[in-house]
Amino acid sequence: MKADTVNKQEQKELIVEITFDRSNIISNAARQFEKDNPGIKIKVVENDIPMSDYVKKLNTELLAGKGPDIFCTYLYDLSDCAREGLLVDYNELIGKDDTFSVNDYFSSILYGTKYGEGLYAIPLTYSFEGFLVNEKLLKDKGLTIDENWTWKDFYKIAGTFTNNDSNIQCYMLPKLTSTIVLLESQIIHDWDYYLNKGSKTARFDTGEFTDALHTYESIYNKGVMHPDIDEITIWQSAKGAGNEHILLMPVSYCSYYDISSFESIFNGDFKMMPEPKGNYTPSRMFTGKNISINNNSQNKDEAWQFVKYLLSEDVQKKWSVNSFVVNKKASEAGINEIIEYQSQSKKENEHRITEMDIKQLDYIIENVLNKNRTSDAINRSLWSELRPFFDKQISAERMAEILQNKVELYLNE
């Protein structure tokens, strides 16, 4: 029997399902990994169905003892599968692998996907929501904002902008194109307070939840938003087009390179801030593109080797210019590449990234972010259920009662 035939028979195959890989980084990494590990064959399967349908399919397969060896997902709620013991706990793999050092990674992101004490997913890349702060207006108003602010702090600041006098050119926010974004962020950050799926209890009929609804109402009724300038206008406008009268601009932080587009927002005089944390939990969210290992896999050791490869500096560098990555050295390499590119770029209105900018983001990443944002069936349906409240058809108190009843029904199915 030929040697190559023997090798082929001895090969172990890993099935890797992915819901994100537009740059084909995972697919290309799989081919390189196969070259370095000839005893392992990796089949990469791209998801081509809606995410909600894929989640149902994946959960059904895992519960049946089937499914891929590895899966890469976005906004996937793994709590049910973790409770059922269907996912590998990376803590156990890391604890017995001397070749993997947690010090090589941003610990807040690496461990931000924990469920209980278990680590069932690791982010390959991640992003987070936040605000740009108009530093000049902040000083003019005599206000301070700490990175550790809560949503109560956010609404306290909003109280200093409660005027409907259009002659007063001072607003907390631009005109928001999405009417529920602030309420959604506020509730999601306290999601673990309002809902405990493990004990099948919910707290939507509480004063805390109705307070959240009332504060949402107040920010839309008291003139804290600019009547004409919305986020899209700000992104498209030149310097001095009215942006200087707005304190906070909502932004998505996806990479260090995003900083370069912030120049025209507040004439370059800005501070980067995360979203406020929860009022009742310490949660400060990021959104990870995560990788998990199926506990039913017959090739868990080989799966871990491939996950480690995707977390290595060489592979993570390929994401590091256009995304935040969890590997520290890869992140640094991406920053250096951006700075080198900017040193040769002639683009107008492009903010030149400074050491202070990098320190601001690094502080947020290492000291503020601590929890991966997910989406389960309940919080996906919550926003359509709230429609009567948004349309001012029912009160906050009545809305809370309705939600509590529906969530309890769901939990007890």
Side-chain angles (χ1 to χ4, degrees):
M1 188 177 290
K2 294 182 180 180
D4 60 345
T5 304
V6 173
N7 289 339
K8 187 172 183 180
Q9 289 178 342
E10 293 177 348
Q11 266 191 340
K12 293 184 177 181
E13 183 178 66
L14 294 177
I15 306 297
V16 180
E17 286 189 354
I18 57 178
T19 59
F20 58 88
D21 193 25
R22 290 182 180 178
S23 301
N24 293 315
I25 292 173
I26 295 175
S27 298
N28 291 333
R31 303 290 78 79
Q32 184 59 49
F33 184 83
E34 288 175 336
K35 291 178 183 178
D36 297 337
N37 300 270
I40 303 174
K41 174 70 177 175
I42 297 180
K43 181 179 179 181
V44 178
V45 180
E46 294 190 45
N47 169 51
D48 59 357
I49 61 176
M51 187 62 187
S52 59
D53 293 337
Y54 174 72
V55 168
K56 292 177 183 177
K57 168 182 169 292
L58 177 63
N59 288 345
T60 299
E61 290 176 346
L62 292 174
L63 285 166
K66 301 176 181 179
D69 298 278
I70 297 171
F71 56 92
C72 304
T73 54
Y74 179 67
L75 288 174
Y76 173 63
D77 176 39
L78 51 75
S79 59
D80 291 339
C81 290
R83 281 197 302 274
E84 296 292 332
L86 303 178
L87 305 176
V88 168
D89 185 350
Y90 283 115
N91 283 321
E92 298 175 7
L93 298 174
I94 292 171
K96 63 183 182 182
D97 190 337
D98 293 336
T99 69
F100 187 86
S101 174
V102 295
N103 295 325
D104 293 338
Y105 304 90
F106 291 104
S107 60
S108 61
I109 306 301
L110 181 68
Y111 290 111
T113 54
K114 286 178 69 175
Y115 176 75
E117 294 302 313
L119 182 64
Y120 303 100
I122 293 178
L124 297 174
T125 68
Y126 62 96
S127 60
F128 58 96
E129 303 300 311
F131 294 92
L132 285 187
V133 181
N134 184 337
E135 288 260 79
K136 183 178 183 304
L137 185 55
L138 189 73
K139 293 173 185 175
D140 290 346
K141 291 283 291 183
L143 298 170
T144 58
I145 303 177
D146 185 87
E147 284 86 354
N148 208 35
W149 64 335
T150 66
W151 282 101
K152 286 184 178 179
D153 296 325
F154 178 92
Y155 284 106
K156 184 176 180 180
I157 294 169
T160 69
F161 287 82
T162 53
N163 65 79
N164 287 294
D165 186 348
S166 60
N167 294 319
I168 300 176
Q169 290 295 297
C170 186
Y171 303 92
M172 183 181 181
L173 294 162
K175 183 179 180 180
L176 297 178
T177 53
S178 173
T179 60
I180 66 171
V181 63
L182 294 179
L183 179 62
E184 180 178 13
S185 293
Q186 184 179 356
I187 292 173
I188 290 299
H189 279 79
D190 277 327
W191 193 248
D192 290 345
Y193 179 82
Y194 292 121
L195 180 69
N196 187 322
K197 293 173 73 175
S199 63
K200 295 187 176 182
T201 57
R203 290 173 166 167
F204 293 100
D205 60 346
T206 60
E208 292 90 340
F209 187 76
T210 54
D211 282 349
L213 297 184
H214 284 309
T215 51
Y216 161 82
E217 285 180 311
S218 70
I219 204 165
Y220 285 94
N221 295 334
K222 296 184 178 179
V224 302
M225 291 190 293
H226 198 289
D228 303 311
I229 300 177
D230 59 25
E231 306 111 301
I232 297 173
T233 302
I234 290 178
W235 283 115
Q236 295 176 344
S237 67
K239 293 181 181 180
N243 309 348
E244 65 271 20
H245 303 302
I246 297 171
L247 180 66
L248 301 175
M249 172 65 177
V251 291
S252 295
Y253 295 100
C254 299
S255 73
Y256 288 95
Y257 187 66
D258 288 345
I259 306 171
S260 63
S261 64
F262 295 161
E263 178 66 26
S264 63
I265 304 298
F266 296 130
N267 295 336
D269 189 11
F270 61 83
K271 178 181 180 180
M272 291 175 283
M273 290 283 293
E275 283 186 315
K277 67 179 181 180
N279 293 325
Y280 311 109
T281 70
S283 297
R284 188 67 65 64
M285 300 289 187
F286 64 87
T287 303
K289 293 184 176 179
N290 304 324
I291 188 164
S292 298
I293 298 176
N294 186 346
N295 208 23
N296 295 310
S297 171
Q298 300 302 305
N299 301 305
K300 287 193 276 289
D301 289 338
E302 291 77 13
W304 170 233
Q305 295 306 313
F306 184 58
V307 170
K308 282 200 302 181
Y309 183 59
L310 294 179
L311 294 170
S312 70
E313 181 182 354
D314 286 345
V315 177
Q316 290 262 295
K317 279 195 297 189
K318 295 177 172 62
W319 277 300
S320 63
V321 171
N322 297 312
S323 302
F324 289 115
V325 294
V326 69
N327 185 295
K328 289 181 179 178
K329 288 184 178 178
S331 179
E332 184 178 352
I335 291 169
N336 291 336
E337 186 174 340
I338 293 166
I339 291 173
E340 175 62 24
Y341 167 77
Q342 284 201 318
S343 70
Q344 301 174 21
S345 173
K346 304 291 185 183
K347 286 185 179 180
E348 295 182 7
N349 295 325
E350 182 179 67
H351 180 74
R352 300 290 164 166
I353 298 172
T354 67
E355 184 177 346
M356 182 57 68
D357 295 331
I358 295 167
K359 285 183 177 179
Q360 280 188 34
L361 280 184
D362 281 351
Y363 179 85
I364 293 171
I365 291 165
E366 295 190 79
N367 298 283
V368 178
L369 303 179
N370 59 23
K371 185 172 178 60
N372 182 58
R373 188 190 297 257
T374 59
S375 177
D376 64 15
I378 295 177
N379 66 40
R380 283 196 302 272
S381 66
L382 181 68
W383 312 109
S384 59
E385 296 289 349
L386 281 166
R387 180 53 55 191
F389 170 74
F390 294 142
D391 293 340
K392 299 182 180 180
Q393 295 175 0
I394 60 176
S395 68
E397 288 73 18
R398 179 58 183 146
M399 187 74 258
E401 291 176 9
I402 293 172
L403 285 176
Q404 180 72 16
N405 290 334
K406 290 194 173 182
V407 171
E408 287 180 350
L409 282 173
Y410 179 91
L411 290 172
N412 291 309
E413 284 181 347

